[in-house]
Amino acid sequence: MVYLLFKLLHVVALVLFLGNITIGVFWVRHAARHRSPPRLADAMAGVIRGDRVFTLPAVMVIIASGGLAAWQGGWPVLRTGWIAWGVGLFVLSGLVFAALAPLQHRLRVLAAREGIGWEDCAPLLRRWNRIGIASLLPAWLALAAMVLKVPA
């Protein structure tokens, strides 16, 4: 029963984590459609706040509950392919996010400046999109590895 509680906590944290990072990309792209720096600044501020409120706490819970569930279930983390791959992809996602976070702040500050045009924001936003997708993809692949237990 303890194993199942850790597993439930792990899944709930994953839902919050993946939901927030995925919806963050959606809101920034939604704001970008208007080609309005103030809208972009507001969307980016929301993404940054969402990371603080949902993503980072979820990461802590994912790590703790996943480790405790593996321990409680008798799963050797590095010798169980699907867990090792899931952890590796999750770490890769986090490393890429480490490059994304400062970019989010720069973009929010730039877009909030008075007199800034869309053409001033666009190159940084394109870079944010590329890095954001590069962070998002391994997180979703980690989920797939864990749920499908691939590789076995």
Side-chain angles (χ1 to χ4, degrees):
M1 185 63 170
V2 173
Y3 166 75
L4 291 176
L5 290 174
F6 286 138
K7 187 175 173 181
L8 174 63
L9 189 58
H10 190 66
V11 169
V12 169
L14 280 166
V15 168
L16 286 172
F17 171 75
L18 287 171
N20 192 60
I21 65 175
T22 302
I23 212 71
V25 172
F26 169 82
W27 282 117
V28 170
R29 287 185 173 203
H30 178 73
R33 287 185 7 206
H34 298 281
R35 300 176 61 89
S36 164
R39 276 190 176 204
L40 180 60
D42 189 48
M44 200 54 70
V47 167
I48 292 165
R49 184 158 189 238
D51 285 343
R52 222 178 301 121
V53 172
F54 297 107
T55 305
L56 296 176
V59 165
M60 302 299 184
V61 174
I62 288 166
I63 292 167
S65 63
L68 289 167
W71 171 73
Q72 190 70 32
W75 297 100
V77 173
L78 297 179
R79 292 191 322 264
T80 306
W82 54 274
I83 297 176
W85 273 94
V87 169
L89 288 163
F90 185 70
V91 168
L92 176 61
S93 176
L95 291 173
V96 175
F97 178 78
L100 187 66
L103 192 58
Q104 290 179 165
H105 289 280
R106 282 182 47 211
L107 194 49
R108 181 186 54 80
V109 168
L110 175 68
R113 276 195 210 142
E114 196 67 37
I116 288 294
W118 184 252
E119 62 283 349
D120 300 314
C121 299
L124 204 53
L125 180 59
R126 281 192 297 275
R127 187 168 170 219
W128 182 88
N129 279 317
R130 283 192 307 272
I131 296 172
I133 295 301
S135 177
L136 189 60
L137 186 60
W140 278 100
L141 290 174
L143 172 69
M146 294 280 190
V147 169
L148 300 174
K149 292 187 171 38
V150 177

